[in-house]
mmCIF file with all atom_site columns, all heavy atoms in Angstrom:
data_model
loop_
_atom_site.group_PDB
_atom_site.id
_atom_site.type_symbol
_atom_site.label_atom_id
_atom_site.label_alt_id
_atom_site.label_comp_id
_atom_site.label_asym_id
_atom_site.label_entity_id
_atom_site.label_seq_id
_atom_site.pdbx_PDB_ins_code
_atom_site.Cartn_x
_atom_site.Cartn_y
_atom_site.Cartn_z
_atom_site.occupancy
_atom_site.B_iso_or_equiv
_atom_site.pdbx_formal_charge
_atom_site.auth_seq_id
_atom_site.auth_comp_id
_atom_site.auth_asym_id
_atom_site.auth_atom_id
_atom_site.pdbx_PDB_model_num
ATOM 1  N N   . GLU A 1 17  ? 112.469 110.375 120.794 1.00 0.00 ? 195 GLU A N   1
ATOM 2  C CA  . GLU A 1 17  ? 111.901 111.481 121.604 1.00 0.00 ? 195 GLU A CA  1
ATOM 3  C C   . GLU A 1 17  ? 111.537 112.639 120.811 1.00 0.00 ? 195 GLU A C   1
ATOM 4  O O   . GLU A 1 17  ? 110.577 113.340 121.152 1.00 0.00 ? 195 GLU A O   1
ATOM 5  C CB  . GLU A 1 17  ? 112.943 111.930 122.638 1.00 0.00 ? 195 GLU A CB  1
ATOM 6  C CG  . GLU A 1 17  ? 112.368 112.591 123.859 1.00 0.00 ? 195 GLU A CG  1
ATOM 7  C CD  . GLU A 1 17  ? 111.191 111.901 124.571 1.00 0.00 ? 195 GLU A CD  1
ATOM 8  O OE1 . GLU A 1 17  ? 111.271 110.686 124.723 1.00 0.00 ? 195 GLU A OE1 1
ATOM 9  O OE2 . GLU A 1 17  ? 110.303 112.582 124.955 1.00 0.00 ? 195 GLU A OE2 1
ATOM 10 N N   . ARG A 1 25  ? 102.433 116.882 121.847 1.00 0.00 ? 203 ARG A N   1
ATOM 11 C CA  . ARG A 1 25  ? 101.879 118.276 121.762 1.00 0.00 ? 203 ARG A CA  1
ATOM 12 C C   . ARG A 1 25  ? 100.678 118.304 120.895 1.00 0.00 ? 203 ARG A C   1
ATOM 13 O O   . ARG A 1 25  ? 99.562  118.864 121.209 1.00 0.00 ? 203 ARG A O   1
ATOM 14 C CB  . ARG A 1 25  ? 102.954 119.186 121.110 1.00 0.00 ? 203 ARG A CB  1
ATOM 15 C CG  . ARG A 1 25  ? 102.609 120.685 120.981 1.00 0.00 ? 203 ARG A CG  1
ATOM 16 C CD  . ARG A 1 25  ? 103.636 121.510 120.541 1.00 0.00 ? 203 ARG A CD  1
ATOM 17 N NE  . ARG A 1 25  ? 104.906 121.256 121.305 1.00 0.00 ? 203 ARG A NE  1
ATOM 18 C CZ  . ARG A 1 25  ? 106.129 121.198 120.807 1.00 0.00 ? 203 ARG A CZ  1
ATOM 19 N NH1 . ARG A 1 25  ? 106.254 121.410 119.516 1.00 0.00 ? 203 ARG A NH1 1
ATOM 20 N NH2 . ARG A 1 25  ? 107.285 121.129 121.536 1.00 0.00 ? 203 ARG A NH2 1
ATOM 21 N N   . SER A 1 43  ? 113.726 98.328  111.167 1.00 0.00 ? 221 SER A N   1
ATOM 22 C CA  . SER A 1 43  ? 113.596 99.057  109.891 1.00 0.00 ? 221 SER A CA  1
ATOM 23 C C   . SER A 1 43  ? 112.063 99.247  109.460 1.00 0.00 ? 221 SER A C   1
ATOM 24 O O   . SER A 1 43  ? 111.237 98.361  109.867 1.00 0.00 ? 221 SER A O   1
ATOM 25 C CB  . SER A 1 43  ? 114.211 98.155  108.786 1.00 0.00 ? 221 SER A CB  1
ATOM 26 O OG  . SER A 1 43  ? 113.852 98.630  107.477 1.00 0.00 ? 221 SER A OG  1
ATOM 27 N N   . ARG A 1 63  ? 90.574  99.260  121.338 1.00 0.00 ? 241 ARG A N   1
ATOM 28 C CA  . ARG A 1 63  ? 91.201  100.087 122.473 1.00 0.00 ? 241 ARG A CA  1
ATOM 29 C C   . ARG A 1 63  ? 91.543  101.521 122.163 1.00 0.00 ? 241 ARG A C   1
ATOM 30 O O   . ARG A 1 63  ? 91.728  102.326 123.024 1.00 0.00 ? 241 ARG A O   1
ATOM 31 C CB  . ARG A 1 63  ? 92.392  99.362  123.105 1.00 0.00 ? 241 ARG A CB  1
ATOM 32 C CG  . ARG A 1 63  ? 91.997  97.942  123.609 1.00 0.00 ? 241 ARG A CG  1
ATOM 33 C CD  . ARG A 1 63  ? 93.290  97.326  124.279 1.00 0.00 ? 241 ARG A CD  1
ATOM 34 N NE  . ARG A 1 63  ? 92.873  95.974  124.750 1.00 0.00 ? 241 ARG A NE  1
ATOM 35 C CZ  . ARG A 1 63  ? 93.418  94.826  124.288 1.00 0.00 ? 241 ARG A CZ  1
ATOM 36 N NH1 . ARG A 1 63  ? 94.348  94.956  123.440 1.00 0.00 ? 241 ARG A NH1 1
ATOM 37 N NH2 . ARG A 1 63  ? 92.929  93.707  124.781 1.00 0.00 ? 241 ARG A NH2 1
ATOM 38 N N   . ARG A 1 127 ? 101.213 96.268  87.704  1.00 0.00 ? 305 ARG A N   1
ATOM 39 C CA  . ARG A 1 127 ? 102.469 96.330  86.915  1.00 0.00 ? 305 ARG A CA  1
ATOM 40 C C   . ARG A 1 127 ? 103.392 95.196  87.296  1.00 0.00 ? 305 ARG A C   1
ATOM 41 O O   . ARG A 1 127 ? 103.948 94.621  86.360  1.00 0.00 ? 305 ARG A O   1
ATOM 42 C CB  . ARG A 1 127 ? 103.119 97.779  87.173  1.00 0.00 ? 305 ARG A CB  1
ATOM 43 C CG  . ARG A 1 127 ? 102.412 98.944  86.674  1.00 0.00 ? 305 ARG A CG  1
ATOM 44 C CD  . ARG A 1 127 ? 102.277 98.885  85.086  1.00 0.00 ? 305 ARG A CD  1
ATOM 45 N NE  . ARG A 1 127 ? 103.621 98.758  84.450  1.00 0.00 ? 305 ARG A NE  1
ATOM 46 C CZ  . ARG A 1 127 ? 104.213 99.734  83.925  1.00 0.00 ? 305 ARG A CZ  1
ATOM 47 N NH1 . ARG A 1 127 ? 103.825 100.914 83.882  1.00 0.00 ? 305 ARG A NH1 1
ATOM 48 N NH2 . ARG A 1 127 ? 105.439 99.632  83.421  1.00 0.00 ? 305 ARG A NH2 1
ATOM 49 N N   . ILE A 1 132 ? 105.931 89.946  85.699  1.00 0.00 ? 310 ILE A N   1
ATOM 50 C CA  . ILE A 1 132 ? 106.080 88.583  85.970  1.00 0.00 ? 310 ILE A CA  1
ATOM 51 C C   . ILE A 1 132 ? 105.592 87.684  84.878  1.00 0.00 ? 310 ILE A C   1
ATOM 52 O O   . ILE A 1 132 ? 106.254 86.843  84.389  1.00 0.00 ? 310 ILE A O   1
ATOM 53 C CB  . ILE A 1 132 ? 105.417 88.150  87.393  1.00 0.00 ? 310 ILE A CB  1
ATOM 54 C CG1 . ILE A 1 132 ? 106.217 88.769  88.514  1.00 0.00 ? 310 ILE A CG1 1
ATOM 55 C CG2 . ILE A 1 132 ? 105.333 86.676  87.460  1.00 0.00 ? 310 ILE A CG2 1
ATOM 56 C CD1 . ILE A 1 132 ? 105.464 88.631  89.738  1.00 0.00 ? 310 ILE A CD1 1
ATOM 57 N N   . GLY A 1 135 ? 107.866 88.020  81.882  1.00 0.00 ? 313 GLY A N   1
ATOM 58 C CA  . GLY A 1 135 ? 109.073 87.216  82.037  1.00 0.00 ? 313 GLY A CA  1
ATOM 59 C C   . GLY A 1 135 ? 108.857 85.698  81.865  1.00 0.00 ? 313 GLY A C   1
ATOM 60 O O   . GLY A 1 135 ? 109.677 84.998  81.307  1.00 0.00 ? 313 GLY A O   1
ATOM 61 N N   . GLY A 1 143 ? 112.365 78.460  75.415  1.00 0.00 ? 321 GLY A N   1
ATOM 62 C CA  . GLY A 1 143 ? 112.423 77.017  75.687  1.00 0.00 ? 321 GLY A CA  1
ATOM 63 C C   . GLY A 1 143 ? 112.878 76.668  77.075  1.00 0.00 ? 321 GLY A C   1
ATOM 64 O O   . GLY A 1 143 ? 113.272 75.579  77.365  1.00 0.00 ? 321 GLY A O   1
ATOM 65 N N   . ARG A 1 155 ? 113.864 59.843  90.512  1.00 0.00 ? 333 ARG A N   1
ATOM 66 C CA  . ARG A 1 155 ? 114.650 58.656  90.099  1.00 0.00 ? 333 ARG A CA  1
ATOM 67 C C   . ARG A 1 155 ? 115.722 58.529  91.206  1.00 0.00 ? 333 ARG A C   1
ATOM 68 O O   . ARG A 1 155 ? 116.118 57.424  91.469  1.00 0.00 ? 333 ARG A O   1
ATOM 69 C CB  . ARG A 1 155 ? 115.363 59.087  88.760  1.00 0.00 ? 333 ARG A CB  1
ATOM 70 C CG  . ARG A 1 155 ? 114.353 58.825  87.503  1.00 0.00 ? 333 ARG A CG  1
ATOM 71 C CD  . ARG A 1 155 ? 115.100 58.857  86.330  1.00 0.00 ? 333 ARG A CD  1
ATOM 72 N NE  . ARG A 1 155 ? 115.598 60.198  85.953  1.00 0.00 ? 333 ARG A NE  1
ATOM 73 C CZ  . ARG A 1 155 ? 115.029 61.158  85.366  1.00 0.00 ? 333 ARG A CZ  1
ATOM 74 N NH1 . ARG A 1 155 ? 113.715 61.043  85.122  1.00 0.00 ? 333 ARG A NH1 1
ATOM 75 N NH2 . ARG A 1 155 ? 115.461 62.381  85.188  1.00 0.00 ? 333 ARG A NH2 1
ATOM 76 N N   . LEU A 1 157 ? 115.283 58.835  94.259  1.00 0.00 ? 335 LEU A N   1
ATOM 77 C CA  . LEU A 1 157 ? 114.721 58.395  95.419  1.00 0.00 ? 335 LEU A CA  1
ATOM 78 C C   . LEU A 1 157 ? 115.178 56.873  95.704  1.00 0.00 ? 335 LEU A C   1
ATOM 79 O O   . LEU A 1 157 ? 115.309 56.417  96.830  1.00 0.00 ? 335 LEU A O   1
ATOM 80 C CB  . LEU A 1 157 ? 113.155 58.298  95.299  1.00 0.00 ? 335 LEU A CB  1
ATOM 81 C CG  . LEU A 1 157 ? 112.393 58.144  96.542  1.00 0.00 ? 335 LEU A CG  1
ATOM 82 C CD1 . LEU A 1 157 ? 112.775 59.099  97.727  1.00 0.00 ? 335 LEU A CD1 1
ATOM 83 C CD2 . LEU A 1 157 ? 110.960 58.176  96.288  1.00 0.00 ? 335 LEU A CD2 1
ATOM 84 N N   . SER A 1 164 ? 115.953 57.245  106.389 1.00 0.00 ? 342 SER A N   1
ATOM 85 C CA  . SER A 1 164 ? 114.718 57.717  106.957 1.00 0.00 ? 342 SER A CA  1
ATOM 86 C C   . SER A 1 164 ? 114.141 58.783  106.091 1.00 0.00 ? 342 SER A C   1
ATOM 87 O O   . SER A 1 164 ? 114.843 59.200  105.132 1.00 0.00 ? 342 SER A O   1
ATOM 88 C CB  . SER A 1 164 ? 115.060 58.395  108.426 1.00 0.00 ? 342 SER A CB  1
ATOM 89 O OG  . SER A 1 164 ? 115.746 59.496  108.163 1.00 0.00 ? 342 SER A OG  1
#
Side-chain angles (χ1 to χ4, degrees):
E195 199 56 34
R203 188 178 302 142
S221 169
R241 293 187 184 117
R305 293 294 304 256
I310 290 169
R333 284 191 293 275
L335 190 57
S342 70

